[in-house]
Amino acid sequence: MFSRTVEYAMRAMVALAAGDGRPMTTRQIAETMKVPQSYLSKVLQSQVRAGLVHSTRGLRGGFVLARKPEDLNMMEILNAVSPYKRIETCPLDQEGHSSDLCPLHSRLDMAMAMVQEAFEGTTLAEILSEDNPCPTLQAQLETLKPSMPDPKS
Amino acid sequence: MFSRTVEYAMRAMVALAAGDGRPMTTRQIAETMKVPQSYLSKVLQSQVRAGLVHSTRGLRGGFVLARKPEDLNMMEILNAVSPYKRIETCPLDQEGHSSDLCPLHSRLDMAMAMVQEAFEGTTLAEILSEDNPCPTLQAQLETLKPSMPDPKS
DNA sequence: CACTAATCAGATAATTATATCCAATTTACT
DNA sequence: AGTAAATTGGATATAATTATCTGATTAGTG
């Protein structure tokens, strides 16, 4: 149901939220989250354009969350890569400006509304705080952290 | 969120359910539901293969629902054109056979579960019985019925 | 100031989804 | 039997998504 792009965006944002405050590179995120690296950069660019992430170029650069994980929800992440278009008017009734949807599209939109609500109500912080994290994710993050800033001192 | 194919499939099935028992042709359905005719035939073939619709060829042929609208739900229609794959295992943890999902994918799957439940719980009959049908759909169906079998008598 | 690590942006390729077209087949009616 | 109406299936075209690559840009380091 959700596109691969959405999947990747969510994974990347979780990775960022799971890190310490320092910028993470696309390579780090890609390896941790098993996302094609060069596609990830596109996905992250969307997050930057949407203002959810800050990017800094150059050495020691990378991506950092623009806000605290507590007020960054799943809906914003999804919207950044593929705008969520609720069904406003019945596509079968292009002329009528009546605000009501037909029963079919009312149902379809209701499903979308449920998803929207669920996603809006779930922050990155909430995702991180749960007690059954991906074992792989945990392990990867452990090994990545120490090996990162190592200017021979 | 839902692909165009899914949209078309739902529209077509509603059109069939709204008709009298006689077979409807792709052209009738396409015009009523504003779906590209030649693509609709592919969509309907999926419904036939899934056993939701019966097709009869030749003159006076067309498509008929295989079951009563009361026990044909939205989920079956969706599944016929694009199988709904719930998230069974965390894609980040390919090795572990642990049945638990990580918090992220648990959320994603939960959203899918909600949609699935909503769709499974909504039959074509229910959609037809609601009191705010598409004006266009109503009108089209009215005009189509009388003008159909008209061999110059 | 040059070098290097890193993102950014644009071009391009590959894959999938959407849509159309046409020949073959089936069926009913005259 | 012959013809018109209809689905079926295959081939093909177009558009959107997904993915990769390459050069340009930026920032830190010595």
Side-chain angles (χ1 to χ4, degrees):
Chain A
M1 180 161 68
F2 304 108
S3 73
R4 215 163 295 193
T5 306
V6 168
E7 251 277 338
Y8 293 164
M10 300 263 182
R11 288 191 203 176
M13 295 298 272
V14 169
L16 284 179
D20 51 12
R22 284 175 296 180
M24 285 183 82
T25 70
T26 52
R27 191 154 67 82
Q28 287 177 309
I29 300 171
E31 282 173 3
T32 308
M33 293 318 226
K34 299 185 182 110
V35 173
Q37 181 180 351
S38 42
Y39 191 55
L40 179 62
S41 92
K42 297 288 183 204
V43 173
L44 282 172
Q45 275 178 44
S46 299
Q47 304 289 319
V48 170
R49 271 192 295 271
L52 307 185
V53 162
H54 287 144
S55 67
T56 59
R57 287 181 165 189
L59 197 57
R60 297 268 186 281
F63 297 91
V64 183
L65 291 187
R67 296 188 234 140
K68 294 190 194 132
E70 293 83 40
D71 40 72
L72 242 166
N73 68 52
M74 293 176 75
M75 199 62 211
E76 299 178 277
I77 300 172
L78 187 155
N79 259 317
V81 290
S82 64
Y84 200 67
K85 291 199 296 189
R86 292 281 300 278
I87 303 174
E88 307 281 358
T89 65
C90 176
L92 296 178
D93 183 26
Q94 71 277 58
E95 296 305 330
H97 344 72
S98 101
S99 58
D100 285 357
L101 295 178
C102 74
L104 171 60
H105 290 98
S106 152
R107 296 289 181 168
L108 290 173
D109 186 61
M110 217 173 292
M112 299 187 70
M114 288 193 308
V115 171
Q116 180 174 354
E117 237 180 280
F119 281 5
E120 278 173 350
T122 307
T123 67
L124 282 178
E126 208 174 328
I127 291 176
L128 286 181
S129 74
E130 287 199 24
D131 52 358
N132 53 335
C134 251
T136 310
L137 172 57
Q138 285 298 85
Q140 290 264 12
L141 286 174
E142 286 310 317
T143 60
L144 271 176
K145 270 183 207 161
S147 76
M148 191 199 346
D150 199 47
K152 78 165 68 72
S153 105
Chain B
M1 180 162 67
F2 304 107
S3 74
R4 214 163 295 192
T5 307
V6 168
E7 251 278 338
Y8 293 164
M10 300 261 182
R11 288 191 203 177
M13 295 298 272
V14 168
L16 284 179
D20 51 14
R22 283 176 298 181
M24 286 183 83
T25 70
T26 51
R27 191 153 66 82
Q28 287 177 308
I29 300 172
E31 282 172 3
T32 308
M33 293 318 226
K34 301 186 181 110
V35 172
Q37 181 180 351
S38 42
Y39 191 56
L40 178 62
S41 90
K42 299 288 185 201
V43 173
L44 280 172
Q45 277 179 41
S46 299
Q47 303 290 319
V48 170
R49 271 191 294 271
L52 307 184
V53 162
H54 287 144
S55 66
T56 60
R57 288 179 163 190
L59 195 58
R60 298 268 187 280
F63 297 90
V64 183
L65 291 188
R67 297 189 233 141
K68 294 189 194 131
E70 292 84 39
D71 39 72
L72 241 167
N73 68 53
M74 292 176 77
M75 199 62 211
E76 298 178 277
I77 300 171
L78 187 155
N79 259 317
V81 290
S82 63
Y84 200 67
K85 290 199 297 186
R86 292 281 299 280
I87 304 174
E88 307 281 358
T89 65
C90 175
L92 296 178
D93 183 26
Q94 71 277 58
E95 296 305 330
H97 342 74
S98 100
S99 58
D100 285 356
L101 295 179
C102 74
L104 172 61
H105 290 97
S106 152
R107 298 287 182 169
L108 290 172
D109 186 61
M110 218 173 291
M112 299 187 70
M114 288 192 309
V115 171
Q116 180 175 353
E117 235 180 282
F119 281 6
E120 278 174 351
T122 307
T123 67
L124 283 178
E126 209 175 326
I127 291 176
L128 286 181
S129 73
E130 287 199 23
D131 52 357
N132 54 334
C134 250
T136 309
L137 171 56
Q138 285 299 85
Q140 290 263 13
L141 286 174
E142 287 309 317
T143 60
L144 270 178
K145 271 183 207 161
S147 76
M148 191 200 342
D150 198 50
K152 80 167 67 72
S153 104

